[in-house]
Amino acid sequence: MNWDDLKELIEQGDLDVLAAALGEIGPADSRALTKPLTDFERSVRRADFYTTQQYSPMLAVAGAAVLPMSTLAPWLSRNSLDRPLRPDDRRVLRPYGAPAFEHVLAVLRRRDVPWLPRLAEKLAQRLRPRGRTSNHEWQLITAIAGDALPDSDGYVYHWPEMIGRDDTTIVGEIRGDRRFLALIPRLFEVDGVARRLADSWAQDGWPSALAELAAAGEVDRLVLLDGLLARLQRGGKQMDVVALIDLHDKLCPNLDELAPRGGDYAALVPDSHSTVAGMAQRELQRLDEANRLAADVLLDVSRAMFFRPEKKLVRAQISWLDKAIRRGRAGSLAVLGGAFGHESVDVQERALKLVLKHAGKLDANVRDELAEAAVALPQDLRARAADVFAMPEAEPEPVPVPAAAPRPEMPPPIASLDELVTAFAEQAHRAGPLLRERILAAMVEFAFTDREALRRAFAPLQEQSPWYTPGLPDWSEQRNWIGSPSEAGEFSAVLRAATGECRGEVTSPIPRIDEIPGEADWEELATRGVEYGTVRMRRLHEIGIGLAYAPRPFLMSTPTGTSGIIAPEALAERLERAAAQGFEPWQHDLVVAMLRLPRDAAIADRVRGLGEAGAQVARWIDDGGLGRPEIRRAVVPVKKYDWRGMHLEDHTRVTVTFPDTADPVRKSFDSTATGRYSATLREQNAAPDLMPAYRDLCAAHRVEAFADGARGSATMLGRLVDAYGPIGDGMNTVLAFALGARESADRASVVDALITLTARDGLRGTGVAHAVVELVLRDEVVLGRVVQTVRDAARAGLAELAWEVVAVLVEGLLPAEGERPRTALADLLALGVELVDQVRPAEPVPGVAAAAARGGSSRFVKEARRLHQALTTA
């Protein structure tokens, strides 16, 4: 077979015919075809997206028949083993036929070469953990691996998702291919695999499968136990440990297996997820009750447990110590002093009761240690402790002085093409608004001053990435593989336009829609569901069009501060330069520049006569910018998706309403412009870096991102904090959701936010607290998390703010007569007792006296009485 015959078969696109013809190729033909085939593949990769996708499966099969092992590994990694694609009558690529994997495997086996296991190893080394991997690529590695499967991180990482499909079980597949048994220990060693063990296509699931294999003696159960304990010691979130805990429970280790591993379990107590610490506590207690746990391990575990915030675990530890002391381990009393400093008064009281219960067993040294630790107890508990041992005078701890974090400084503009290329590559992995703004500014300026040099600088990147190929904007070509407009797609289009042909001058206007190929399609999709489209995406799209048809020497909208703000003087200078050079700025670029102006910008008179752009900026300033829309917290129907499909649920959001007479720019930030509440597009519009002077409006449209646990909200919260403008329902609601964040790292970020907002903007706690009350009453925020975060804020120096929040929460959440108190309400009252001692409020809290007068001995009633007593004696 010569190259012309093979090329014709590849272009024909029939995998069956191609694979059959390749069976006739011998070693001499392979050597002769290697160079033309690799040259052809290189030209395909440099072609457009459609060509690359169409030829990729055919090239995978052809390469499997022709290429040597050294070339074949990267070849198969970059060419698809899935079903081939061909364009339909609308030029949309559609899959057809069988996957290329079957033909590649058949062709490789037909070559009868000894290096297939080495090829499998090389392919496995190219798999990346947490990356996307084709099921067929993984199957090919497994099929050609030989007697032992590869154990690379990438291969093992993707194993759990590849096995147990098609109504098969994991146990059945492992028993059908016993090479997998050797990989089982690696499941606990490769980062990220533990989370994947909890999510499987198989009927049995990984924990059940591994336990079944251990019960049958096919896997050493101690290998599993040691592996999961080692993995648990590396930490992680709940989804990282749920399958490991399940496996541990199914293994149910006996005392002989637990005893040598007491230290491993003890190491899980200090910093692990609460479910892991609880499991370790349970197993260690089993050992202790069997008299097989060393006394020093019990003491170390207790000390570590008393530093944990979970009251359930700490109470269980105190109960365990009570049993241990009654069995003769009186030395355990000494560690109870650690519980005196716990944040929960309930825990402090339980620990003190246990000390008082066994007071007769205290020796002098332990008594002195506990007396010193008891200084941390609240005043009423200190009085009870003083009845047993002499209490030293408590010295007041210095109160931290909160200070606002300074806004970061603006980095200098990108000054060279090398720096621009590096920054562009960096933003693909770490996209941030400030970095993208610097890239856009440099792209526009370099395209204007030396487009050819810009094209040369980006040529290596564009050779590797066909979606960056230089060219004029044409949405009719892009839409087939992008689908609909997006910010990422428009950002790529900016580079394509900046390095492509330019058909205009500095004074050229932006062409009409009918003068740009595919522009009518783009406009239809961009405006669907929102009158003005998204501001950021329209600006990006305009920059791409402008670079191709109406170049400008610089952008108007590049921020001068890291928050996204533009100094008024800087915008005035840019408008003066534009007027001097005789051009009008791009329209959406100017819109974003106006949105980024401070509310008190005083440059209207200076710019009024600088052409149409200057007059537009002056009108914007005269009209008060975005004005004062109504920003109000409300319960609205919100789209939700689950097993029922799309449905509407009522949730707390913040609506933004402009007058009916508002222009399209203002109307694009209106929550009800489509006749119902809509968040997605307006959330993209109302980014803090796009309109940094309108913090509350930005926050109003970001509420959805903070709802449901506020996971990963720290970055966005920081951007809102660094913005400008008054604080209203928008920001208060965001802070209310953030106070109840699910993860401790996110709760720590809201404490930092409270410190900065209080010091920089005079934040008051009452507005935030009223939002919390509404959210707690609707079960949209967990009160216990809020209490914990407010306590952290108080300890960081915000005692006054914390008391404002607590007072409103207590008044709003106290139950009516006959109602059960809400979970964590007693913790809230206990926090109030702590704060009263620091703040000394002059006003009582409505409802506390009535709650204190209730009968019973529940913890809620006890804490209500303590708070009432503290308020009356303050």
Side-chain angles (χ1 to χ4, degrees):
M1 179 183 292
N2 59 37
W3 167 240
D4 291 336
D5 294 335
L6 178 57
K7 182 180 179 184
E8 182 178 350
L9 289 170
I10 292 173
E11 292 176 339
Q12 181 179 338
D14 190 323
L15 282 176
D16 293 332
V17 174
L18 175 63
L22 290 171
E24 304 172 0
I25 291 181
D29 290 334
S30 297
R31 287 191 294 272
L33 291 171
T34 295
K35 186 178 188 309
L37 180 62
T38 53
D39 290 343
F40 178 72
E41 193 245 8
R42 188 178 297 111
S43 68
V44 167
R45 283 193 285 122
R46 290 175 178 173
D48 61 80
F49 178 82
Y50 309 101
T51 303
T52 304
Q53 293 300 303
Q54 285 179 252
Y55 283 122
S56 185
M58 266 63 70
L59 289 170
V61 175
V66 170
L67 299 177
M69 184 193 68
S70 59
T71 308
L72 194 52
W75 181 283
L76 292 176
S77 294
R78 66 176 176 258
N79 286 300
S80 173
L81 301 180
D82 298 330
R83 295 171 64 193
L85 302 170
R86 63 161 61 108
D88 62 11
D89 54 358
R90 298 182 60 192
R91 295 193 68 206
V92 176
L93 294 174
R94 305 288 186 187
Y96 68 96
F101 155 75
E102 299 173 4
H103 298 291
V104 169
L105 179 59
V107 167
L108 286 173
R109 286 174 171 170
R110 199 159 54 219
R111 291 181 71 174
D112 192 26
V113 290
W115 42 257
L116 288 186
R118 281 189 290 152
L119 174 62
E121 188 68 38
K122 288 181 175 293
L123 288 171
Q125 291 294 335
R126 299 180 72 87
L127 297 183
R128 292 291 175 262
R130 304 183 187 277
R132 299 181 64 182
T133 296
S134 164
N135 178 45
H136 294 122
E137 185 177 1
W138 193 90
Q139 286 182 333
L140 178 65
I141 295 170
T142 306
I144 65 174
D147 295 335
L149 292 172
D151 66 349
S152 71
D153 285 1
Y155 183 80
V156 175
Y157 177 85
H158 294 287
W159 179 23
E161 71 176 302
M162 302 298 180
I163 194 171
R165 299 183 179 215
D166 303 324
D167 296 327
T168 59
T169 63
I170 296 172
V171 169
E173 291 205 27
I174 291 177
R175 286 174 174 165
D177 188 347
R178 302 189 72 81
R179 295 178 300 169
F180 285 120
L181 291 171
L183 290 185
I184 288 177
R186 291 282 287 148
L187 292 172
F188 308 109
E189 297 170 356
V190 178
D191 286 341
V193 174
R195 175 174 294 202
R196 302 168 76 82
L197 297 180
D199 186 15
S200 172
W201 297 83
Q203 303 170 12
D204 45 358
W206 279 94
S208 297
L210 294 174
E212 182 178 340
L213 291 170
E218 297 170 83
V219 177
D220 189 336
R221 58 184 280 111
L222 295 183
V223 169
L224 295 180
L225 185 60
D226 288 335
L228 71 87
L229 287 175
R231 172 59 190 86
L232 289 173
Q233 288 179 24
R234 298 208 302 271
K237 298 181 179 179
Q238 183 176 6
M239 290 304 298
D240 296 317
V241 302
V242 61
L244 301 176
I245 296 294
D246 190 11
L247 174 59
H248 182 275
D249 292 344
K250 285 180 167 59
L251 291 175
C252 191
N254 57 44
L255 292 175
D256 290 335
E257 293 169 333
L258 290 175
R261 295 168 177 81
D264 295 326
Y265 283 95
L268 299 176
V269 171
D271 301 315
S272 298
H273 192 276
S274 59
T275 55
V276 178
M279 179 272 289
Q281 183 186 54
R282 183 183 68 244
E283 299 303 322
L284 290 169
Q285 188 170 355
R286 283 177 58 198
L287 281 174
D288 185 46
E289 291 173 349
N291 292 319
R292 301 185 66 173
L293 185 71
D296 59 337
V297 175
L298 171 59
L299 298 181
D300 290 342
V301 168
S302 299
R303 292 188 186 98
M305 192 64 76
F306 291 150
F307 278 103
R308 296 192 65 99
E310 301 92 349
K311 292 182 292 183
K312 181 179 178 181
L313 293 178
V314 180
R315 288 197 296 260
Q317 193 66 32
I318 293 173
S319 298
W320 176 7
L321 287 172
D322 188 15
K323 295 175 183 177
I325 292 167
R326 284 189 273 121
R327 290 200 317 271
R329 290 193 165 183
S332 302
L333 281 166
V335 297
L336 285 166
F340 290 169
H342 196 271
E343 61 186 27
S344 169
V345 177
D346 180 39
V347 168
Q348 294 173 325
E349 186 175 16
R350 284 172 181 259
L352 180 59
K353 281 184 177 180
L354 185 56
V355 169
L356 298 179
K357 176 180 176 181
H358 299 285
K361 302 176 182 178
L362 297 173
D363 60 31
N365 291 334
V366 172
R367 188 181 296 271
D368 291 342
E369 289 181 25
L370 292 173
E372 186 175 345
V375 172
L377 293 170
Q379 185 174 2
D380 53 344
L381 295 184
R382 285 203 306 270
R384 292 168 59 183
D387 294 337
V388 180
F389 34 72
M391 296 284 296
E393 287 294 328
E395 296 182 6
E397 296 184 4
V399 178
V401 179
R407 289 184 172 90
E409 294 184 4
M410 186 72 177
I414 294 174
S416 68
L417 286 171
D418 288 342
E419 186 183 357
L420 175 58
V421 173
T422 301
F424 191 91
E426 181 183 355
Q427 65 82 31
H429 306 285
R430 190 181 60 85
L434 183 59
L435 178 60
R436 285 199 165 188
E437 287 295 339
R438 296 173 66 231
I439 291 172
L440 288 172
M443 196 84 70
V444 169
E445 293 182 17
F446 283 122
F448 188 85
T449 56
D450 194 344
R451 187 172 294 235
E452 184 57 38
L454 182 67
R455 185 182 294 114
R456 289 196 303 270
F458 276 97
L461 174 65
Q462 291 169 328
E463 286 182 6
Q464 301 172 11
S465 307
W467 48 89
Y468 293 144
T469 302
L472 292 170
D474 184 351
W475 181 252
S476 60
E477 290 185 0
Q478 299 179 49
R479 67 174 298 174
N480 291 310
W481 55 281
I482 294 179
S484 60
S486 67
E487 290 184 17
E490 297 303 328
F491 193 81
S492 299
V494 168
L495 174 60
R496 298 181 65 204
T499 55
E501 179 186 359
C502 181
R503 296 185 176 180
E505 303 293 339
V506 70
T507 56
S508 301
I510 292 286
R512 299 192 314 270
I513 287 179
D514 58 354
E515 296 175 330
I516 305 173
E519 190 66 4
D521 291 338
W522 187 93
E523 184 68 26
E524 177 191 352
L525 291 169
T527 56
R528 186 175 297 171
V530 60
E531 183 177 351
Y532 189 72
T534 62
V535 175
R536 191 199 303 270
M537 191 169 70
R538 276 191 172 276
R539 171 178 174 248
L540 286 170
H541 185 71
E542 181 189 62
I543 291 173
I545 298 294
L547 287 168
Y549 297 101
R552 299 293 185 260
F554 54 86
L555 290 173
M556 291 286 159
S557 54
T558 302
T560 58
T562 54
S563 66
I565 204 80
I566 291 180
E569 296 77 13
L571 180 58
E573 290 173 4
R574 293 170 188 173
L575 289 168
E576 288 168 347
R577 288 170 57 195
Q581 296 180 46
F583 70 87
E584 287 290 333
W586 297 324
Q587 179 57 36
H588 299 300
D589 179 36
L590 188 63
V591 167
V592 172
M594 294 188 298
L595 287 171
R596 285 175 164 164
L597 279 176
R599 294 189 179 203
D600 58 354
I603 58 171
D605 293 337
R606 178 177 172 182
V607 303
R608 202 179 304 277
L610 299 176
E612 177 54 34
Q616 187 174 345
V617 172
R619 286 195 301 271
W620 175 267
I621 295 172
D622 292 340
D623 293 343
L626 276 176
R628 297 187 179 276
E630 181 185 5
I631 301 176
R632 183 174 62 87
R633 188 166 50 253
V635 177
V636 298
V638 176
K639 281 184 179 181
K640 292 292 181 179
Y641 298 87
D642 58 19
W643 59 272
R644 296 169 291 180
M646 192 281 288
H647 60 282
L648 296 176
E649 294 180 3
D650 286 347
H651 288 278
T652 300
R653 296 292 184 263
V654 177
T655 60
V656 178
T657 308
F658 282 85
D660 292 338
T661 56
D663 63 34
V665 174
R666 293 174 175 85
K667 206 68 175 176
S668 64
F669 301 104
D670 193 314
S671 301
T672 57
T674 59
R676 59 173 173 76
Y677 178 81
S678 175
T680 305
L681 291 176
R682 286 167 184 79
E683 178 181 315
Q684 296 172 15
N685 270 357
D689 62 286
L690 267 183
M691 39 194 305
Y694 303 92
R695 172 167 46 201
D696 208 50
L697 192 153
C698 295
H701 286 299
R702 291 285 165 167
V703 166
E704 180 132 349
F706 286 83
D708 193 23
R711 180 177 280 122
S713 59
T715 300
M716 178 50 61
L717 183 59
R719 290 174 184 167
L720 288 169
V721 168
D722 281 341
Y724 300 83
I727 295 173
D729 273 3
M731 196 64 191
N732 283 330
T733 307
V734 161
L735 290 171
F737 274 116
L739 284 171
R742 185 175 288 115
E743 300 294 340
S744 57
D746 295 318
R747 292 197 294 272
S749 71
V750 76
V751 172
D752 293 338
L754 292 174
I755 291 172
T756 299
L757 288 172
T758 302
R760 187 189 289 164
D761 301 291
L763 175 70
R764 301 298 308 210
T766 52
V768 180
H770 284 299
V772 172
V773 169
E774 294 179 29
L775 296 176
V776 170
L777 290 176
R778 287 188 48 79
D779 295 324
E780 295 185 58
V781 159
V782 178
L783 178 59
R785 295 174 187 158
V786 175
V787 173
Q788 185 176 344
T789 311
V790 174
R791 176 181 284 110
D792 291 342
R795 292 177 178 175
L798 297 179
E800 294 282 350
L801 179 80
W803 171 250
E804 290 177 358
V805 173
V806 168
V808 173
L809 293 184
V810 169
E811 180 182 358
L813 299 176
L814 281 175
E817 188 66 33
E819 290 183 356
R820 291 176 58 86
R822 186 174 294 272
T823 301
L825 188 53
D827 294 330
L828 177 65
L829 297 172
L831 175 57
V833 176
E834 292 181 33
L835 293 173
V836 166
D837 194 36
Q838 302 176 53
V839 177
R840 301 290 179 184
E843 299 294 329
V845 178
V848 171
R854 283 189 175 195
S857 59
S858 67
R859 181 164 176 252
F860 166 72
V861 173
K862 290 180 180 178
E863 297 299 346
R865 291 169 183 164
R866 292 181 64 229
L867 180 56
H868 179 59
Q869 175 68 21
L871 286 169
T872 54
T873 59

